[in-house]
Amino acid sequence: MSDIPQDGPEGGPIHMTSTEDVPAAPGWLEPEADKVFAKLGLPADKTQRFRDSYIDCLASAPRSEDLDSAHDSCRMGLLSAMKAAFTLDATQWRAFEKDLEALEARLTADL
């Protein structure tokens, strides 16, 4: 009898890995994103799904590709979706975009 546990996929041995199989973001990202979204003055319950989607997008950006391009795509998608859902003036949108860009620059530097 083998000492290898047989509880892995399809009853085979468990293969230990040292990495997670899910996207991950640094712990500081969510609270900082909350601050950026709070500056908009919109109800948090109305922006939550946009915030969550944006953070998921940033966390899912392939590390083997150009992170700036991936982050740009996340930001542009977020802005497009939010502009369709909320009415703010151009100054507010630009300030929000600049805050997102700063958040993304910090994230890139942290990876």
Side-chain angles (χ1 to χ4, degrees), residues 44-90:
D45 63 325
K46 303 286 187 206
T47 61
Q48 186 71 39
R49 68 183 177 99
F50 296 98
R51 173 208 167 270
D52 291 348
S53 179
Y54 174 67
I55 289 172
D56 287 346
C57 184
L58 293 177
S60 298
R63 305 295 188 255
S64 60
E65 295 179 17
D66 179 15
L67 281 178
D68 290 332
S69 178
H71 291 171
D72 288 348
S73 180
C74 293
R75 183 177 62 259
M76 294 295 108
L78 171 67
L79 289 169
S80 177
M82 287 193 65
K83 285 179 180 180
F86 303 104
T87 303
L88 298 172
D89 66 42

